[in-house]
Amino acid sequence: MLAASVIVSGNNYGKFKLLCQALGLSLISESTFLRFQKHCAAPVVEEVWRDMNNVVKEVFKAYEDIFLCGDGRSDKPGHVSARYCVCTLMEHFTSAVIDFEV
């Protein structure tokens, strides 16, 4: 549950480890955390995303007009090199995320 809460909160192992050290709390190892993320959390998140995305796309099929906005972001702010780019496609009026790609 600890690893899942870190992942769902949007934090990462490193940040949470610093918090635990400051509070004097015990923590699972990074390798255990990463194994859980890869084999348990990520597949569930991907499945839920796919299911919800299919629902969103079905809803928008009924619309006569939709207004799509796109945005691309490379790495995190302050990074010198751009290794990854995340492109997001949203419907303007509902702010529904239609799709995204890394």
Side-chain angles (χ1 to χ4, degrees):
M1 301 248 319
L2 179 68
S5 63
V6 171
I7 294 166
V8 172
S9 72
N11 282 303
N12 60 41
Y13 182 83
K15 289 180 186 177
F16 193 68
K17 181 179 177 183
L18 288 174
L19 174 65
C20 288
Q21 287 174 341
L23 297 175
L25 300 174
S26 297
L27 182 61
I28 60 175
S29 69
E30 185 172 11
S31 62
T32 300
F33 174 83
L34 294 173
R35 197 170 37 256
F36 172 82
Q37 181 178 355
K38 180 179 181 179
H39 297 291
C40 299
V44 171
V45 169
E46 288 174 15
E47 180 183 348
V48 170
W49 163 255
R50 230 181 353 265
D51 293 346
M52 291 303 299
N53 189 252
N54 288 336
V55 169
V56 167
K57 288 178 180 177
E58 283 300 315
V59 167
F60 280 113
K61 283 183 180 179
Y63 283 51
E64 189 171 314
D65 294 321
I66 61 171
F67 298 91
L68 299 176
C69 305
D71 184 39
R73 183 173 186 176
S74 298
D75 276 345
K76 297 177 184 171
H79 280 60
V80 178
S81 65
R83 184 170 179 186
Y84 300 105
C85 179
V86 178
C87 297
T88 307
L89 187 63
M90 293 178 68
E91 202 284 325
H92 177 71
F93 294 108
T94 63
S95 297
V97 176
I98 305 300
D99 204 1
F100 76 95
E101 288 290 328
V102 177

